[in-house]
Amino acid sequence: MSRIAYVNGRYLPHGEAAVSIEDRGYQFADGVYEVCEVREGKLVDEPRHMARLDRSLKELRMARPMSARALARVLRETVRRNRVRDGIVYLQVTRGVAPRDFPFPASGTRPSLVVTARSHDRARLEKQAEGGIAVVTVPDIRWQRVDIKSVALLPNVLAKQAARDQGAREAWMVDPEGRVTEGASSNAWIVTRDGVLITRPLDTGILPGITRSVVIDELKAKGLKVEERPFTVEEAYAAREAFVTSASQIVMPVVSIDGRPVGGGKPGPVTASLRGAYHQHADIR
Ligand code: PDD
């Protein structure tokens, strides 16, 4: 079955789906995106993802491509046409097509919208979570507005490739003070030897992850304390547990950092319980 993409008003097989070479997403990475988990054919945490999309658009003074209702329909239709039961739905909005010139194009230029969906093997992901993943640390060389979910992801691409080159699945980016900001495509967490959960606060060099926010709600519901503060690479090496959060990985245990085992090289109980109960706290519709 050919995969189907939604592109500016039409549903097309991927082979025929295309945007203009003068799309500002292609020319300038002048666009934003969202990735939402699909579980049993439903969208996970959609309202929070849509709220973040609105914020990203607003911060970049970019118009919405369509109403929230219409977008909700397109997301579901793309999921349906690709017969995705478990997987992800991806949406990208750019500032539209215009002759290549740096300032914003003429008002009235229509934003471009692309939506794709893809299945993942849930059993395989669960297996991966049982073993955990390795991460490596790299310098964070990104710009200062990483709170906007922009498609300008070249530093993240390089970080992820550095991880792959070293046999790891994720890279943790590190600020000039030696503190972890976040993963190349996830938020970073540790559990200290005293059992305290730590993750970097918002507004200081991270994307406000939706999974991160739901996990914080989950911790509160469980009566567990979370400290939102930066942590150093040294603290991470010494941690009892570590994990990452993202829409595609949910809560994924980290079992080694720069080749040093974390928590004896096995996923820890706090991480496993947060992963196990995640979808009870998520909004699935
Ligand atoms: N990545 N930090 C970065 C840099 C990310 O790219 C992501 C998500 C996150 C986690 O955010 P959320 O919990 O909302 O998925 C944190 C997505 C999944 C991606 O780029 O594929």
Side-chain angles (χ1 to χ4, degrees):
M1 188 191 87
S2 163
R3 288 177 61 204
I4 304 293
Y6 172 92
V7 186
N8 293 326
R10 297 200 293 166
Y11 293 94
L12 295 166
H14 274 214
E16 293 164 36
V19 293
S20 163
I21 56 162
E22 288 204 306
D23 191 284
R24 289 181 63 97
Y26 181 67
Q27 295 286 356
F28 296 118
D30 190 1
V32 300
Y33 75 106
E34 280 296 328
V35 177
C36 210
E37 185 197 0
V38 179
R39 198 169 171 93
E40 290 164 13
K42 295 188 176 142
L43 302 194
V44 179
D45 302 321
E46 181 191 14
R48 293 191 201 203
H49 282 280
M50 292 305 111
R52 186 173 64 186
L53 173 67
D54 277 347
R55 179 182 180 275
S56 294
L57 291 170
K58 207 165 137 238
E59 291 295 315
L60 296 177
R61 292 158 60 195
M62 214 178 273
R64 276 183 174 194
M66 57 176 60
S67 72
R69 266 178 91 128
L71 183 54
R73 269 204 299 276
V74 169
L75 293 177
R76 282 174 178 75
E77 185 60 16
T78 308
V79 166
R80 193 188 69 76
R81 288 190 190 225
N82 288 282
R83 297 191 199 143
V84 176
R85 197 173 148 70
D86 295 309
I88 55 149
V89 60
Y90 172 90
L91 81 87
Q92 175 173 319
V93 182
T94 75
R95 209 182 298 275
V97 177
R100 187 181 181 280
D101 194 12
F102 284 80
F104 295 171
S107 65
T109 302
R110 274 191 30 221
S112 301
L113 172 63
V114 170
V115 181
T116 58
R118 126 174 138 207
S119 300
H120 60 214
D121 182 346
R122 208 162 118 188
R124 225 196 75 222
L125 267 173
E126 286 312 316
K127 252 213 133 44
Q128 188 176 68
E130 277 167 30
I133 61 165
V135 306
V136 295
T137 59
V138 298
D140 192 336
I141 59 168
R142 299 175 301 162
W143 72 325
Q144 289 175 8
R145 291 307 308 274
V146 298
D147 57 305
I148 298 169
K149 200 162 170 62
S150 127
V151 295
L153 291 170
L154 192 49
N156 310 56
V157 167
L158 296 177
K160 197 73 105 176
Q161 187 57 38
R164 285 293 150 86
D165 292 344
Q166 294 173 66
R169 288 211 65 91
E170 180 59 301
W172 275 9
M173 298 181 282
V174 180
D175 71 15
E177 284 79 48
R179 305 171 312 180
V180 174
T181 52
E182 62 183 330
S185 65
S186 59
N187 289 115
W189 297 69
I190 57 170
V191 184
T192 66
R193 299 224 166 260
D194 307 325
V196 181
L197 282 116
I198 301 176
T199 194
R200 195 169 172 113
L202 302 181
D203 302 328
T204 57
I206 65 165
L207 181 81
I210 302 306
T211 320
R212 174 189 180 283
S213 72
V214 174
V215 166
I216 289 175
D217 291 351
E218 191 182 345
L219 289 168
K220 284 186 182 146
K222 288 184 154 134
L224 290 168
K225 238 190 83 195
V226 53
E227 260 180 42
E228 289 184 69
R229 66 160 176 88
F231 60 85
T232 63
V233 174
E234 296 303 324
E235 278 183 284
Y237 290 156
R240 192 159 83 191
E241 295 183 36
F243 61 92
V244 295
T245 54
S246 77
S248 50
Q249 309 228 67
I250 320 299
V251 176
M252 183 59 72
V254 168
V255 292
S256 99
I257 302 172
D258 293 333
R260 301 159 198 238
V262 175
K266 287 206 186 77
V270 176
T271 308
S273 110
L274 287 171
R275 181 182 179 84
Y278 182 84
H279 292 95
Q280 290 164 29
H281 298 270
D283 176 328
I284 306 178
R285 56 176 93 173

